[in-house]
């Protein structure tokens, strides 16, 4: 029973870590994209001038 | 909310439900195996998650293989994103399969690890795909990186069918679960065990598709970020 619990624990842990890593990367990239778009917005009027 | 984000949410929910059903099928629905020693019958239920993890990893590497070929033909960045996403998933499923298999090996074979043909070839697969990401990390120019990764991904995949067939071709202690030839170490699933086995496999395919869709979505966001950085001369 110990091995069964350990094996299922490992698979669920691997799944959790993978899903969490996707979530964290998505959050970081979303905020970075927002910051880059802000920077682009600020530069764009200067380009027009 | 965009259609793709709504579809992702539906997929995420479907995968969660499928995995809960899989746990029920593996731990409750499936009967005890009668052809193994009674002391290791609880541990035998590891196969309901170990085998689908292994098959999902092979499916992931196959998707990466096809995406790599399509990238070389079309040069469209979409296929590079697909290959990268599928390879990453393949590694995650391989790690889950190797560790859960090792935990089944201890009560069944009295050792966590042995250099059996299946275990050896599967370890080589894992190392080849870790090297795939090392290769990607070593090349800065995006077009060259995608091209080199696609070529490498095609050759790396050759190890996958070899691993799948290793238990059928060579003398090994690893059991053959499905469609076992006469001279191999058959496991033999009873009818109710086969039902649970199929349910868990279908659940893992749904999980694989869901994770792949999420990882591809992340890949597109990374591409968008890189394009914005380029426009800003970062």
């Amino acid at each position: 029973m110990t091995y069964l619990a350990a094996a299922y624990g490992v698979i669920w842990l691997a799944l959790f870590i993978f899903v969490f890593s996707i979530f964290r990367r998505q959050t970081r990239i979303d905020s970075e994209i927002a910051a880059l778009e802000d920077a682009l917005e600020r530069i764009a009027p200067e380009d027009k001038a | 909310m965009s259609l793709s984000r709504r579809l992702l949410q539906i997929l995420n929910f479907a995968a969660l439900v499928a995995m809960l059903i899989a746990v029920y099928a593996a731990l409750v629905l499936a009967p005890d195996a009668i052809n193994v020693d009674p002391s290791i019958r609880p541990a035998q239920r590891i196969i309901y998650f170990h085998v689908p993890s292994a098959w999902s990893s092979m499916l992931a590497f196959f998707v990466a293989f096809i995406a790599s070929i399509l990238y070389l033909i079309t040069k469209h960045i979409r296929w590079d994103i697909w290959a990268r996403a599928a390879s990453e998933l393949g590694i995650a499923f391989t790690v889950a399969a190797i560790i859960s298999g090792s935990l089944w090996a201890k009560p069944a074979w009295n050792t966590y690890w042995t250099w059996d043909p299946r275990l050896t070839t599967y370890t080589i697969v894992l190392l080849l795909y870790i090297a795939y990401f090392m290769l990607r990390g070593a090349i800065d120019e995006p077009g060259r990186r995608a091209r080199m990764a696609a070529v490498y991904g095609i050759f790396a995949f050759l190890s996958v069918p070899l691993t799948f067939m290793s238990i059928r071709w060579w003398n090994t202690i690893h059991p053959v679960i499905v469609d076992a030839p006469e001279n191999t170490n058959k496991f033999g699933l009873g009818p109710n065990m086969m039902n649970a086995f199929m349910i868990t496999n279908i659940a893992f395919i749904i999980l694989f598709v869901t994770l792949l869709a999420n990882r591809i979505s992340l890949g597109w966001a990374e591409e968008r970020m890189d394009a914005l950085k380029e426009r800003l001369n970062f």
Side-chain angles (χ1 to χ4, degrees):
Chain A
M1 191 57 87
T2 313
Y3 295 111
L4 179 67
Y8 277 68
V10 162
I11 290 171
W12 281 102
L13 187 69
L15 178 63
F16 177 78
I17 290 171
F18 191 79
V19 170
F20 186 69
S21 83
I22 289 180
F23 174 75
R24 270 197 64 182
R25 280 185 282 177
Q26 187 78 57
T27 309
R28 183 179 57 79
I29 287 170
D30 283 348
S31 65
E32 212 162 319
I33 285 174
L36 287 166
E37 280 174 342
D38 270 1
L40 203 63
E41 283 281 307
R42 283 199 302 274
I43 290 169
E46 290 169 23
D47 286 350
K48 281 174 194 165
Chain B
M1 186 188 291
S2 70
L3 182 66
S4 59
R5 204 152 271 239
R6 184 174 283 269
L7 273 173
L8 269 185
Q9 284 193 348
I10 293 169
L11 266 177
N12 291 343
F13 181 72
L16 179 67
V17 172
M19 289 307 286
L20 290 174
I21 293 170
V23 170
Y24 175 79
L27 301 182
V28 182
L29 186 68
D32 276 337
I34 50 169
N35 56 348
V36 295
D37 189 275
S39 64
I40 61 169
R41 277 179 190 163
Q44 172 273 327
R45 289 174 189 271
I46 290 172
I47 65 155
Y48 297 109
F49 268 44
H50 165 70
V51 178
S53 296
W55 285 2
S56 297
S57 76
M58 290 180 188
L59 178 62
F61 294 137
F62 180 67
V63 170
F65 169 69
I66 297 294
S68 298
I69 292 172
L70 289 173
Y71 178 79
L72 289 179
I73 294 170
T74 64
K75 297 285 186 292
H76 196 295
I77 194 68
R78 172 196 292 133
W79 301 118
D80 183 52
I81 291 172
W82 273 66
R84 190 174 24 160
S87 300
E88 198 176 292
L89 262 173
I91 288 177
F93 279 117
T94 301
V95 169
I98 286 179
I99 296 177
S100 60
S102 182
L103 286 162
W104 163 234
K106 179 62 180 167
W109 304 339
N110 204 28
T111 179
Y112 285 109
W113 188 263
T114 176
W115 291 106
D116 172 87
R118 165 54 73 83
L119 278 67
T120 306
T121 51
Y122 206 21
T123 304
I124 291 169
V125 169
L126 178 64
L127 294 175
L128 281 169
Y129 279 91
I130 289 172
Y132 171 86
F133 284 98
M134 290 168 75
L135 174 73
R136 295 192 71 99
I139 303 171
D140 286 332
E141 202 268 303
R144 188 160 170 264
R145 179 174 59 217
R147 202 166 53 250
M148 297 293 283
V151 172
Y152 181 89
I154 291 166
F155 282 104
F157 180 75
L158 297 178
S159 63
V160 176
L162 186 74
T163 299
F164 185 79
M165 295 308 293
S166 61
I167 50 177
R168 292 165 175 85
W169 286 345
W170 293 305
N171 190 18
T172 165
I173 54 171
H174 191 288
V176 182
I177 306 271
V178 175
D179 201 19
E182 273 310 308
N183 58 341
T184 55
N185 182 12
K186 287 183 194 173
F187 186 80
L189 292 173
N192 286 338
M193 290 176 77
M194 186 55 92
N195 290 343
F197 187 68
M198 294 315 291
I199 289 170
T200 53
N201 272 297
I202 291 166
F204 266 77
I205 289 171
I206 295 170
L207 177 70
F208 166 71
V209 171
T210 303
L211 291 176
L212 183 67
N214 278 281
R215 185 60 188 80
I216 287 169
S217 166
L218 177 66
W220 281 115
E222 285 168 345
E223 283 303 316
R224 186 155 171 243
M225 184 179 73
D226 289 344
L228 282 169
K229 279 182 177 173
E230 206 168 298
R231 281 178 69 185
L232 287 161
N233 293 324
F234 264 41

